[in-house]
Amino acid sequence: MSVLVNKDSKVIVQGFTGSEGSFHAGQMIEYGTNVVGGVTPGKGGQTHLDKPVFNTVAEAVKKTGADVSIIFVPPAFAADAIMEAAEAGIKVIVTITEGIPVKDMVIVKEYLKDKDCRMVGPNCPGVMTAGEAKVGIMPGFIFNPGRIGIISKSGTLTYEAVDQITKAGMGQSTAIGIGGDPIIGTSMKEAVELLMNDPETDGIVMIGEIGGQMEPDAARWIKEYGNGKPVVGFIAGETAPKGRTMGHAGAIVGGSDDTAQAKKAILRECGIHVVDSPADIGAKMAELIGVTA
Amino acid sequence: MNLHEYQGKEILASYGVGVQRGIVATTPDEAVEAAKKLSEQTGTEWWVVKAQVHAGGRGKGGGVKLAKSLDDVRNIASEIIGMNLVTPQTSKEGKKVHQVLIAEDVYYPGESETSEIYMSVLLNRASGRNMIMYSTEGGMDIETVAEQTPHLIFTEEIDPKVGIQGFQARKIAFNLGLSGTAFKEMVKFVMNLYKAYDGIDASLFEINPVLKTSDDKILAVDAKVTLDDNGLFRHKDYAEMRDKREEDPIDVEAGEAGLNFVNLDGNVGCMVNGAGLAMATMDIIKMAGGNPANFLDVGGTADAKRVETAFRIILRDPKVEAILVNIFGGIVRCDRVAQGIVDAYKNIGDIKVPIIVRLQGTNAEEAKTIIDESGLEVHSAILLKEAADKVKELVG
């Protein structure tokens, strides 16, 4: 069953008929994800990729029973799309869109507070439960169904971890790309909590980067929780200069407490197995779990 | 996107925030004219000549000086315009000054003592809300205040549902120890400052100092304004305020080619898809005994044209002794990227530094074959560890 999404998830795609939405919806369907339709305002009633298109999320939910939505809507309209999904009763909203203004996300964050839903992203590669559901843009072929959960702020670095886990003779339960923006729907701590409580996950890979306090917060929670499952950690950006944004809007060293060095030290204090080289993620987890490739 | 002090002040003033008034000048003659005009408008008898560059600590580097006569204005402006201003926030080479702000003197004597206050508006990433940070210790580096006297820094968080409220502005003014006219002026200052922050999609305001004048006015004497790049589509007029001269020209060129590039000081260049993997690759270079020469995210479509532009930009840095290409092909096919690399290499022709290409993901084996059979001075790798070892061999 894993977390957030599985083979029973009924997924709709917001921004379904756009180029990004079309391409990735096609890939999701090919992977076996249960995509039940899509939403593009003004194109309701049409059929796209053999699935129905609706004008509103509410209508899509009513007609298909959708409970998961993935958002490919352009940045200027993405906040609106997220709130529409929440209002319509979608339980898991995965926002792929990159470049949403912070001002819009401040409002979204507030709006979602009293809604019964979880938002993942934005600016993330999505959520993937190996062998069951791909709700995102991660390449399906590197996954192998298994019992390692992966949490990451970054796209290709997630793939790197997934690939290493597979090559080291293990597999993944769910990979959660939480995104690299300053404001995100699901924090690293919340994602860790989901995987710690998942009976189908035995170990967790946690990949962070410079900027913010998400990784230390997650690490402290893990320690408090009693380090129930082995966690391998990596923090990217040890060599990043202070005060420069490194690609992700949130990846910027502001003070002495959000450098890679400071975060790694806290992670280690909290019992997380920190690797200095991202090339060692898979081997470290194999060692902890007792797997030999 | 960062703005100059004078641009930030213009925007603040348009929201009714009190600012130290000034006129920008690009030559000593213009500076004198600006000074005369400013005296007519404000009655100021002295002027402050302030270098307009995107860096803090300008005063420490000699970029901010008081002029007590028009001759002073001319001499100081001649000295500052064209200088390479070195501050604690610039590189050793400093930043070239293209323009100065001739500002009114606001530290004139009067009925009460002047006092300097620190105020900033920024996002509290932990709560996802904006907050106003303020302190009675204005005019100092806020990081020093945070270290030495953290109890003198206050914060006020803004509820996005209703925006800033009067009681919050009053609390700030009380905490700053103000009373009478100065108190009322500060309330107005805070309310308008936050409205400006919200209105222009800012990601940082730092006003240091905010001055309480001897006649109880509240003025922004400096203004560091950073706009959220993602919000610029809503503010075309502010987007036009971008001063590319303040940015590293290579960064600008890369940006125009769709590459996310940051120039660094090391000897190993890198080209990577994805920001997180790019940072991780820089870390690998360091662990292998080299130093990253740049951060470069080629984005999702690592086609031949982009790869070529990226190579050309990296190769322009004479310190670069090797280049590590690290691509994880998820949706993009590695064989296509490999072909792009080979084509780019041949197009550029004269590449004298070794290149290590690590391609992993879709069609990685085919990609390795293309690289290996190209006959070029390119080392291929599939595993990240292999790539790291190759870097070590070459520069470690």
Side-chain angles (χ1 to χ4, degrees), chain A residues 18-33:
Chain A
S19 64
E20 288 279 300
S22 286
F23 175 75
H24 290 292
Q27 300 269 316
M28 285 161 56
I29 293 166
E30 198 175 296
Y31 191 76
T33 312

Side-chain angles (χ1 to χ4, degrees), chain A residues 125-204:
Chain A
V127 180
M128 171 113 178
T129 293
E132 298 197 24
K134 160 173 150 142
V135 183
I137 60 174
M138 300 182 192
F141 72 94
I142 57 172
F143 282 80
N144 178 40
R147 303 183 64 86
I148 304 299
I150 293 166
I151 303 162
S152 170
K153 276 184 173 176
S154 123
T156 43
L157 199 46
T158 311
Y159 312 161
E160 183 66 49
V162 168
D163 191 57
Q164 284 183 30
I165 292 293
T166 299
K167 292 216 163 77
M170 296 167 285
Q172 306 77 22
S173 51
T174 303
I176 309 170
I178 61 172
D181 272 7
I183 298 185
I184 54 178
T186 296
S187 68
M188 197 159 266
K189 173 182 154 275
E190 290 167 319
V192 166
E193 216 172 321
L194 290 171
L195 290 170
M196 276 288 180
N197 292 320
D198 173 31
E200 298 189 346
T201 296
D202 294 339
I204 300 170

Side-chain angles (χ1 to χ4, degrees), chain A residues 202-277:
Chain A
D202 294 339
I204 300 170
V205 175
M206 187 170 109
I207 300 169
E209 62 193 25
I210 52 166
Q213 287 299 311
M214 290 235 155
E215 300 85 352
D217 288 350
R220 290 187 189 101
W221 182 87
I222 290 167
K223 192 181 177 190
E224 254 172 61
Y225 184 86
N227 297 80
K229 295 172 185 175
V231 180
V232 172
F234 173 72
I235 306 285
E238 182 134 9
T239 50
K242 193 182 172 206
R244 297 295 301 267
T245 303
M246 306 303 279
H248 291 148
I252 176 166
V253 170
S256 55
D257 61 345
D258 61 355
T259 61
Q261 289 85 339
K263 289 190 186 188
K264 283 182 188 177
I266 295 172
L267 263 56
R268 287 197 171 104
E269 278 165 29
C270 292
I272 287 156
H273 304 271
V274 177
V275 289
D276 283 313
S277 168

Side-chain angles (χ1 to χ4, degrees), chain A residues 102 110 156 160 237 244, chain B residues 161 198 228 251 273 283 358:
Chain A
V102 174
E110 189 65 30
T156 43
E160 183 66 49
R244 297 295 301 267
Chain B
K161 282 197 294 293
D198 191 53
D228 177 6
D251 295 9
N273 65 334
D283 298 346
R358 184 267 180 158

Side-chain angles (χ1 to χ4, degrees), chain B residues 44-275:
Chain B
T44 190
E45 289 167 5
W46 291 349
W47 305 268
V48 188
V49 183
K50 306 169 97 173
Q52 298 297 289
V53 291
H54 290 179
R58 292 170 298 165
K60 288 173 192 144
V64 178
K65 286 186 173 164
L66 182 66
K68 296 186 178 176
S69 70
L70 290 173
D71 280 344
D72 276 1
V73 169
R74 181 180 297 280
N75 293 337
I76 296 169
S78 325
E79 187 187 311
I80 294 180
I81 296 171
M83 82 187 282
N84 277 327
L85 182 62
V86 181
T87 86
Q89 291 183 20
T90 65
S91 64
K92 287 190 293 290
E93 293 80 36
K95 280 203 141 169
K96 190 168 172 96
V97 182
H98 299 282
Q99 48 195 355
V100 289
L101 179 65
I102 308 299
E104 64 177 322
D105 168 34
V106 286
Y107 288 80
Y108 48 80
E111 282 178 21
S112 64
E113 290 286 309
T114 58
S115 65
E116 291 186 324
I117 291 154
Y118 171 91
M119 192 169 290
S120 59
V121 188
L122 69 163
L123 176 73
N124 177 357
R125 286 173 65 163
S127 66
R129 291 177 168 199
N130 293 318
M131 62 181 178
I132 298 174
M133 190 183 282
Y134 59 103
S135 171
T136 49
E137 306 305 287
M140 291 171 62
D141 178 18
I142 196 66
E143 283 181 348
T144 313
V145 180
E147 250 167 54
Q148 292 168 0
T149 48
H151 60 283
L152 295 177
I153 297 179
F154 302 89
T155 56
E156 186 68 25
E157 208 164 89
I158 313 301
D159 184 338
K161 282 197 294 293
V162 293
I164 188 163
Q165 296 300 301
F167 75 89
Q168 296 181 294
R170 292 196 297 277
K171 185 163 127 198
I172 291 171
F174 279 126
N175 280 339
L176 289 169
L178 301 171
S179 59
T181 309
F183 174 87
K184 282 184 200 150
E185 288 293 313
M186 180 55 86
V187 169
K188 206 169 86 188
F189 184 92
V190 171
M191 294 296 284
N192 289 335
L193 188 70
Y194 188 76
K195 278 175 193 152
Y197 181 88
D198 191 53
I200 68 170
D201 273 86
S203 57
L204 176 72
F205 272 7
E206 190 175 33
I207 317 293
N208 190 18
V210 175
L211 182 74
K212 186 203 81 68
T213 64
S214 61
D215 52 356
D216 286 348
K217 288 194 193 99
I218 303 294
L219 301 176
V221 174
D222 194 4
K224 183 181 178 191
V225 171
T226 305
L227 301 174
D228 177 6
D229 292 336
N230 292 343
L232 281 178
F233 70 88
R234 290 196 275 244
H235 308 282
K236 297 276 187 305
D237 45 341
Y238 300 144
E240 282 168 14
M241 290 181 165
R242 179 172 172 198
D243 186 351
K244 288 185 187 167
R245 294 175 300 187
E246 293 296 317
E247 300 167 35
D248 192 322
I250 301 180
D251 295 9
V252 173
E253 186 189 337
E256 281 162 3
L259 305 166
N260 205 329
F261 181 88
V262 177
N263 204 5
L264 302 169
D265 276 336
N267 58 346
V268 181
C270 59
M271 182 193 312
V272 189
N273 65 334

Side-chain angles (χ1 to χ4, degrees), chain A residues 33-110:
Chain A
T33 312
N34 185 20
V35 174
V36 296
V39 176
T40 298
K43 294 199 177 171
Q46 298 180 12
T47 301
H48 184 63
L49 307 175
D50 294 327
K51 310 284 177 189
V53 182
F54 301 96
N55 280 324
T56 67
V57 180
E59 194 190 348
V61 169
K62 198 172 157 200
K63 300 268 172 64
T64 67
D67 53 1
V68 173
S69 178
I70 180 163
I71 295 179
F72 290 102
V73 174
F77 314 103
D80 180 47
I82 297 167
M83 293 189 278
E84 183 186 359
E87 179 63 29
I90 293 287
K91 296 290 179 259
V92 174
I93 304 166
V94 178
T95 310
I96 305 297
T97 310
E98 178 180 356
I100 305 177
V102 174
K103 183 179 170 179
D104 295 5
M105 285 308 302
V106 169
I107 293 165
V108 166
K109 183 103 183 158
E110 189 65 30

